[in-house]
Amino acid sequence: MALSETFGAVRAKAAFPASVRRHFAIKGTFAARGDEARLRLFLAIALFAAIFAIIGMRLVSIAVFGELDTGNPYGSSGVSAARPDLVDRNGEVLATDVRTFSMFAEPKRVLDADEVMEGLVRVFPDLDTEKNRNRLASKRGFMWLKREISQEQKLRIHRMGLPGIGFLNENRRFYPGKETAGHILGLVNVDNEGIAGLEKYIDGQGLSDLQDAGLQMERNLEPVKLSTDLRVQHIVRNELSQAMERYQAIAAIGIVLDVNTGEVIAMSSLPDYDPNIPTQAQEKERMNRATAGVFEMGSIFKTFTSAMALDSGLVTMQDTFDASRPLRVSGYTIKDFHGKRRLLSVPEVYIYSSNIGTAKMAMQVGIEGHKEFLTRMGLMGRLITELPESASPQFPDKWSQLSQITISFGHGIAVSPMQTAVAASALVNGGRLIPPTFFPRTSAEADLLAKRVVSEETSDKMRYLMRLNALKGSGRRAEVAGYRVGGKTGTAEKVVNGKYVSQLRFNSFLAAFPMDDPKYLVLVVMDEPKPEKEGGGATAGVNAAPTVAAIIKRAAPMLGVMPRMESDVALGIPQYDVPSPAQ
């Protein structure tokens, strides 16, 4: 068997010369390589076919729809996406989405631009412009004609059967309360994107990213709860509006804070705007003065100066200061508005609002100590809240003795009203500075954020002084029976062309209640109030203080604070053995 096999092999070699065998071997190799080449060619043809198909589809799209010059009507950037409802702390709706319609045109499909325009202007006369006519007559693929139209307007256009005219369902933001909480809520643009207030803040927390990704087209969002109490918000705005009319003021501000959590219960700045009418927000006089404006707050700052002096240990409640004559500093004369012209105890300096006595207390602490205290209280830097609209305070780069003295009674430094309210809350809540928030916050959460700025003893003393001022000082018109109100007036002259004008006032009243266990702080500001009657006064004690009283009287029961008629001593309001204020 082995021999026959060997023979066969030899015979085969004899039958096929070496050259022939090499030919068949090479041919086999070429066949294998040819299959591989044909596969590569097929793949290349398929790849180019796919590329040309994509290009062809794009060309067809451009030919039919044109380049989208005002936003893709079918993309997340062109159609207003859904937003979560905003509700107050009790679940009342403050902002919500409603379905609306927007009208667009595809000029490529418009047969007769003049005929289409003639039909459109029957419903929307403002569309009759040369620009719109030219665009309709072009070969564009898409153009917006009118955003946010009504169902009735849509039906009227639809019945005309105008070729090239279409409609898209969109979301439009609706604010049921109109102006009531306008500066808190802010507003959105035509694409339902937040551009001011908490609406803008919420976008910055990730909502806009979801919208850009097209993930928020449906109304499947959980409501966002705010710290605002709509009932109290309405009261504050209503009382401010009445006060503006009564005292012919050009503007007014009202703030209600929870002193133990930092929650903003209400905030109003008049004139305000209706978020349903976005153009109103562009008017300068409608700015949010509560957080975006800074002002010289006047004698309210004596509250901070008194706390600073007492907390430093350099001044005690039993100390007295000579206010018998004006104070001369750097060529300027510091006087009291209604001077007692005698020695004043610390409580008297406060309730009689003595510029001289307050200046001397500040001088005891010194310039560096004064700057450090105001910094500690958050009054030397920009207040950070969820609202984008927030202004930085203004004060001298270098403090002289004169600037320290004027700052001690609220001139020469400008801060926002919200900043003032937040700092003052720390003086009545036991000495803890708590960042403000427009969202619900528990006491436990507030404790983690709180920073001690004055001692509890200093806080007790300030509660005593503020309560004393409401009983015997300039804040008597803020007293509300049973609610133990305490507070301080501020009457600042406004600066015009670099000079103080005595006839133009910026009045305020800062209050807290109930002073036996403070829960809420109320700040009211009146810009350029006039005397209510001929020959009457126009200081904070006769306009801002009674406005605070009106707010507390209406809002306190809603906030769960019930009136109590016991004496201050029985209720535990701090008392001090100091010289009794002489009238």
Side-chain angles (χ1 to χ4, degrees):
M1 181 70 69
L3 289 175
S4 62
E5 289 177 348
T6 302
F7 178 77
V10 171
R11 189 172 57 181
K13 289 182 178 180
F16 299 101
S19 60
V20 175
R21 291 200 303 272
R22 285 197 302 271
H23 168 76
F24 280 106
I26 293 171
K27 184 177 181 180
T29 301
F30 278 174
R33 291 180 178 176
D35 291 341
E36 182 179 346
R38 282 193 294 272
L39 177 61
R40 289 178 178 176
L41 178 62
F42 174 78
L43 291 175
I45 292 173
L47 176 62
F48 279 105
I51 293 173
F52 280 110
I54 293 173
I55 295 173
M57 291 171 63
R58 177 58 178 159
L59 291 174
V60 170
S61 173
I62 293 175
V64 175
F65 296 106
E67 291 291 343
L68 304 185
D69 57 348
T70 56
N72 183 352
Y74 306 107
S76 61
S77 63
V79 178
S80 53
R83 302 182 65 82
D85 286 355
L86 302 183
V87 300
D88 85 332
R89 65 190 303 112
N90 301 309
E92 295 292 331
V93 175
L94 302 173
T96 189
D97 280 352
V98 295
R99 286 294 185 183
T100 186
F101 309 96
S102 289
M103 180 174 63
F104 66 90
E106 296 174 292
K108 193 77 174 180
R109 298 182 179 183
V110 173
L111 303 178
D112 188 332
D114 290 332
E115 179 184 353
V116 170
M117 182 58 71
E118 182 180 344
L120 293 176
V121 298
R122 294 176 193 168
V123 182
F124 302 105
D126 59 313
L127 291 180
D128 190 10
T129 66
E130 189 66 25
K131 180 180 178 180
N132 283 334
R133 288 181 180 274
N134 291 337
R135 294 174 74 191
L136 281 174
S138 70
K139 299 303 179 183
R140 294 173 181 268
F142 174 85
M143 61 178 281
W144 286 116
L145 285 172
K146 197 77 172 179
R147 305 290 291 272
E148 299 181 353
I149 66 175
S150 68
Q151 173 78 18
E152 180 185 357
Q153 290 169 328
K154 174 190 173 184
L155 290 176
R156 289 178 64 187
I157 296 294
H158 184 72
R159 292 191 187 105
M160 296 179 190
L162 302 175
I165 303 300
F167 304 91
L168 287 173
N169 294 337
E170 293 198 276
N171 293 302
R172 180 173 67 85
R173 204 61 163 166
F174 176 62
Y175 303 89
K178 298 184 178 180
E179 302 94 340
T180 304
H183 282 122
I184 295 176
L185 301 175
L187 69 159
V188 300
N189 62 17
V190 72
D191 290 321
N192 227 23
E193 299 167 336
I195 57 175
L198 293 182
E199 294 279 29
K200 183 175 182 179
Y201 172 80
I202 290 171
D203 277 14
Q205 300 305 299
L207 178 63
S208 59
D209 294 335
L210 294 176
Q211 291 175 338
D212 290 342
L215 300 177
Q216 297 299 335
M217 297 298 294
E218 299 299 328
R219 299 188 63 212
N220 56 355
L221 299 168
E222 289 294 322
V224 175
K225 181 174 287 190
L226 309 186
S227 61
T228 307
D229 188 317
L230 183 58
R231 303 167 302 174
V232 180
Q233 179 71 23
H234 170 75
I235 289 170
V236 171
R237 186 180 184 279
N238 178 253
E239 291 297 338
L240 290 181
S241 180
Q242 292 184 49
M244 277 185 66
E245 183 178 353
R246 182 181 306 120
Y247 305 113
Q248 303 173 55
I250 64 172
I253 303 162
I255 296 170
V256 179
L257 283 180
D258 185 320
V259 302
N260 296 308
T261 65
E263 294 171 291
V264 180
I265 305 301
M267 184 194 78
S268 186
S269 173
L270 302 182
D272 51 15
Y273 62 83
D274 182 351
N276 296 304
I277 310 175
T279 54
Q280 289 185 353
Q282 300 173 8
E283 300 173 19
K284 184 178 179 180
E285 63 270 18
R286 298 179 187 271
M287 69 170 286
N288 178 9
R289 291 171 168 82
T291 62
V294 293
F295 311 94
E296 293 187 349
M297 298 300 294
S299 293
I300 279 181
F301 253 64
K302 292 171 182 172
T303 303
F304 301 123
T305 304
S306 299
M308 172 186 71
L310 293 168
D311 199 61
S312 71
L314 299 173
V315 175
T316 70
M317 293 287 278
Q318 288 74 31
D319 286 343
T320 58
F321 294 88
D322 186 3
S324 61
R325 60 180 62 87
L327 186 65
R328 293 284 297 176
V329 181
S330 302
Y332 290 87
T333 301
I334 308 300
K335 300 183 293 185
D336 286 343
F337 183 58
H338 288 303
K340 299 298 179 181
R341 300 184 182 278
R342 58 176 175 80
L343 287 176
L344 298 177
S345 66
V346 169
E348 288 178 319
V349 169
Y350 190 75
I351 69 172
Y352 298 143
S353 202
S354 171
N355 294 336
I356 300 170
T358 303
K360 290 186 175 181
M361 282 197 292
M363 292 167 68
Q364 291 272 62
V365 176
I367 292 176
E368 293 306 315
H370 199 164
K371 291 167 67 174
E372 186 279 327
F373 180 80
L374 294 184
T375 300
R376 192 195 321 164
M377 299 299 296
L379 293 167
M380 299 284 278
R382 179 173 174 266
L383 179 67
I384 303 300
T385 75
E386 295 90 357
L387 289 186
E389 301 81 21
S390 180
S392 297
Q394 299 175 2
F395 46 82
D397 292 332
K398 295 182 179 180
W399 286 29
S400 63
Q401 187 178 60
L402 178 62
S403 61
Q404 186 207 5
I405 286 173
T406 60
I407 287 172
S408 74
F409 50 79
H411 285 77
I413 184 171
V415 299
S416 73
M418 180 63 75
Q419 201 166 17
T420 304
V422 172
S425 294
L427 300 182
V428 299
N429 71 5
R432 303 176 307 143
L433 185 65
I434 303 173
T437 181
F438 288 86
F439 295 98
R441 179 189 287 161
T442 65
S443 295
E445 291 169 338
D447 290 342
L448 296 175
L449 299 170
K451 175 185 176 184
R452 179 159 297 283
V453 288
V454 297
S455 67
E456 289 190 31
E457 182 182 359
T458 298
S459 179
D460 287 345
K461 292 174 181 177
M462 294 313 301
R463 287 197 288 136
Y464 166 76
L465 291 178
M466 292 173 71
R467 177 60 177 157
L468 185 66
N469 191 51
L471 293 173
K472 299 183 177 182
S474 60
R476 282 172 288 188
R477 287 184 172 88
E479 173 66 352
V480 181
Y483 289 106
R484 292 88 67 201
V485 177
K488 182 72 183 78
T489 51
T491 302
E493 295 176 353
K494 295 183 69 173
V495 177
V496 178
N497 298 325
K499 295 183 179 180
Y500 287 102
V501 180
S502 59
Q503 292 80 17
L504 300 180
R505 301 175 180 88
F506 191 81
N507 292 356
S508 54
F509 191 80
L510 177 73
F513 74 97
M515 291 309 282
D516 54 300
D517 182 18
K519 298 187 182 303
Y520 298 99
L521 180 137
V522 182
L523 174 63
V524 163
V525 176
M526 305 294 296
D527 194 354
E528 295 187 21
K530 314 298 186 296
E532 186 174 9
K533 56 185 178 180
E534 190 68 28
T539 59
V542 298
N543 45 56
T547 304
V548 167
I551 290 172
I552 293 176
K553 186 175 182 179
R554 294 176 61 185
M558 295 180 181
L559 293 171
V561 182
M562 295 296 107
R564 297 180 62 181
M565 298 305 173
E566 298 96 316
S567 69
D568 285 5
V569 174
L571 290 170
I573 294 178
Q575 303 294 312
Y576 293 90
D577 184 18
V578 296
S580 178
Q583 299 298 321

